[in-house]
């Protein structure tokens, strides 16, 4: 029972709850500044004020990994407490390839509270769209029928992403969690992953004879260099719904693209026409700037698209 004049403090990871029950002041807790982050870490990592100089030299690396997130700082500080510098270095090296389990479980609770479409948006942002403009991302997600206007709002409310200067931002540890959720679908076997974002994994999937029907989205980093590849493997990815490529160094031919494809952006598309057995029946947006296309298809083709928002964004250069 609250007495007159009492104040109630409610903490939650879902801002929408606070908006529904009006009357209070909402305060979003910021990340720690560098000084406070170091102070919190030292309180957890060292039992006394005496600090090993060799361990102290590694503190900046630990804090860089934690990215000023109190949860990560507390967990890592407690784990490193009483350990020597050699063990600290081992832990830091291990964290480069895998999240700390306690941190992951805490983040996972927030992600598990998302519905299917919201979770897909979270994974898309973690794997592909961190740092991209929100209007660009919404357009792509809308093509993929993921209801991005409400979905992105929900991710903001649950503090899984932030929007700043019209760009989508995500804490690095949350991004790593999202990627780990994809990796865990089949460790070391990209052909069984739902999403591909690294060129080396894309090359591996292209050469796989089976299993590639699990791949639903490919968005490659345009800044990453890629060696020449045989592109025919794309024809085996029959569940592909999203494809964004920045690549012209291909060999072989492309006879088919997934009938489920809804968004296709391919810079410098290297062929003179679209694949002959690509029906575009579900395609919403086709965008091929600086392509080598001379005609969309050889011969006549009837296009049946269920969508009233079919957008053709070709920037064709005849060569």
């Amino acid at each position: 029972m609250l007495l007159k004049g009492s104040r109630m403090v409610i903490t939650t990871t879902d801002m929408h709850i606070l908006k529904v029950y009006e009357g209070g002041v909402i305060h979003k807790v910021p990340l720690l500044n560098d000084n406070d982050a170091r102070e919190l870490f030292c309180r957890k990592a060292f039992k006394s004020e005496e600090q090993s100089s060799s361990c102290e030299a590694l503190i900046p690396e630990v804090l860089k990994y934690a990215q000023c997130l109190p949860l990560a700082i507390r967990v890592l500080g407690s784990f490193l407490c009483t350990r020597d510098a050699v063990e600290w270095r081992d832990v830091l090296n291990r964290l480069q390839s895998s999240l700390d389990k306690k941190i992951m479980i805490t983040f996972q609770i927030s992600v598990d509270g998302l519905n299917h479409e919201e979770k897909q948006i979270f994974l898309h942002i973690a794997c592909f769209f961190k740092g991209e403009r929100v209007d660009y991302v919404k357009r792509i997600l809308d093509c993929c029928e993921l209801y991005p206007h409400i979905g992105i709002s929900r991710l903001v409310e649950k503090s899984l992403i932030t929007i700043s200067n019209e760009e989508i931002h995500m804490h690095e540890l949350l991004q790593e969690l999202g990627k780990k959720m994809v990796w865990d679908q089949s460790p070391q076997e990209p052909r069984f992953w739902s999403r591909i974002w690294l060129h080396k994994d894309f090359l591996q999937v292209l050469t796989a004879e089976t299993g590639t029907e699990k791949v639903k989205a490919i968005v490659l980093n345009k800044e990453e260099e890629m060696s020449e590849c045989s592109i025919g493997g794309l024809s085996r990815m029959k569940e592909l719904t999203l494809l964004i490529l920045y690549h012209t160094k291909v060999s072989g031919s492309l006879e088919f693209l997934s009938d489920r494809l809804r968004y296709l952006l391919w810079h410098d598309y290297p062929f003179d026409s679209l694949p002959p057995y690509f029906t575009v029946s579900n395609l919403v947006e086709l965008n091929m700037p600086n392509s080598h296309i001379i005609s969309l298809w050889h011969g006549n083709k009837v296009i049946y698209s269920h969508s009233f928002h079919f957008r053709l964004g070709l920037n064709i250069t005849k060569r």
Side-chain angles (χ1 to χ4, degrees), residues 111-122:
V111 176
D112 288 344
L114 303 173
N115 69 22
H116 173 74
E117 288 82 9
E118 292 162 358
K119 189 174 292 186
Q120 298 309 305
I121 292 173
F122 171 78

Side-chain angles (χ1 to χ4, degrees), residues 212-226:
T212 56
E213 65 273 5
K214 301 290 185 181
V215 179
K216 295 184 177 181
I218 298 173
V219 179
L220 297 187
N221 185 348
K222 59 186 174 183
E223 305 298 332
E224 192 177 358
E225 290 293 330
M226 183 175 176

Side-chain angles (χ1 to χ4, degrees), residues 13 16 46 79 105 126 150 187 228-229 232 235 265 273 282 289 295 308 313:
T13 58
H16 184 67
F46 303 106
F79 183 74
I105 290 173
I150 182 61
E228 183 172 317
C229 64
S235 296
L265 169 61
S273 68
N282 285 293
S295 60
F308 293 103

Side-chain angles (χ1 to χ4, degrees), residues 55-297:
C55 287
E56 188 174 5
L58 295 174
I59 291 177
E61 290 188 52
V62 178
L63 296 180
K64 181 180 179 181
Y65 174 82
Q67 294 284 300
C68 296
L69 190 69
L71 167 67
I73 293 170
R74 288 197 303 269
V75 169
L76 292 175
S78 298
F79 183 74
L80 292 171
C81 184
T82 74
R83 303 185 190 278
D84 61 30
V86 175
E87 292 173 307
W88 279 42
R89 172 53 62 193
D90 259 4
V91 170
L92 286 168
N93 290 338
R94 188 173 67 185
L95 288 173
Q96 299 305 312
S97 59
S98 62
L99 273 174
D100 178 88
K101 188 174 181 180
K102 288 184 179 179
I103 298 173
M104 183 186 70
I105 290 173
T106 303
F107 286 159
Q108 188 75 52
I109 292 172
S110 292
V111 176
D112 288 344
L114 303 173
N115 69 22
H116 173 74
E117 288 82 9
E118 292 162 358
K119 189 174 292 186
Q120 298 309 305
I121 292 173
F122 171 78
L123 293 176
H124 273 341
I125 292 173
C127 295
F128 306 139
F129 299 130
K130 176 184 173 183
E132 296 286 359
R133 288 188 57 83
V134 65
D135 55 348
Y136 166 71
V137 176
K138 282 183 176 179
R139 192 175 86 235
I140 295 173
L141 298 178
D142 192 36
C143 291
C144 297
E145 292 189 316
L146 291 176
Y147 314 108
H149 300 285
I150 182 61
I152 286 179
S153 292
R154 288 293 295 139
L155 296 189
V156 171
E157 289 171 350
K158 292 180 74 65
S159 300
L160 293 171
I161 62 171
T162 57
I163 308 294
S164 176
N165 297 322
E166 298 301 315
E167 294 177 348
I168 297 177
H169 300 279
M170 175 182 281
H171 194 282
E172 287 186 16
L173 295 181
L174 280 168
Q175 183 181 29
E176 286 304 306
L177 171 64
K179 291 180 177 180
K180 186 179 186 304
M181 291 170 65
V182 174
W183 289 328
D184 285 350
Q185 292 166 358
S186 183
Q188 309 302 320
E189 289 284 353
R191 62 197 174 109
F192 293 115
W193 298 351
S194 60
R195 293 162 176 81
I196 302 294
W197 59 93
L198 294 178
H199 282 107
K200 65 181 181 65
D201 297 324
F202 180 58
L203 292 174
Q204 185 175 336
V205 171
L206 285 177
T207 60
E209 294 296 329
T210 60
T212 56
E213 65 273 5
K214 301 290 185 181
V215 179
K216 295 184 177 181
I218 298 173
V219 179
L220 297 187
N221 185 348
K222 59 186 174 183
E223 305 298 332
E224 192 177 358
E225 290 293 330
M226 183 175 176
S227 57
E228 183 172 317
C229 64
S230 177
I231 203 66
L234 270 179
S235 296
R236 292 190 290 273
M237 302 179 198
K238 301 185 185 304
E239 297 297 316
L240 200 62
T241 60
L242 169 61
L243 178 61
I244 298 179
L245 297 178
Y246 303 86
H247 185 45
T248 56
K249 301 175 183 177
V250 301
S251 60
S253 60
L254 189 61
E255 298 296 314
F256 171 83
L257 280 174
S258 169
D259 293 337
R260 295 179 178 272
L261 202 59
R262 300 188 62 84
Y263 185 92
L264 172 56
L265 169 61
W266 193 329
H267 284 256
D268 301 308
Y269 178 76
F271 303 108
D272 62 5
S273 68
L274 293 176
Y277 300 107
F278 178 32
T279 66
V280 303
S281 56
N282 285 293
L283 195 65
V284 178
E285 182 164 338
L286 172 64
N287 199 338
M288 291 184 167
N290 300 316
S291 76
H292 290 241
I293 284 183
I294 297 173
S295 60
L296 287 179
W297 286 278

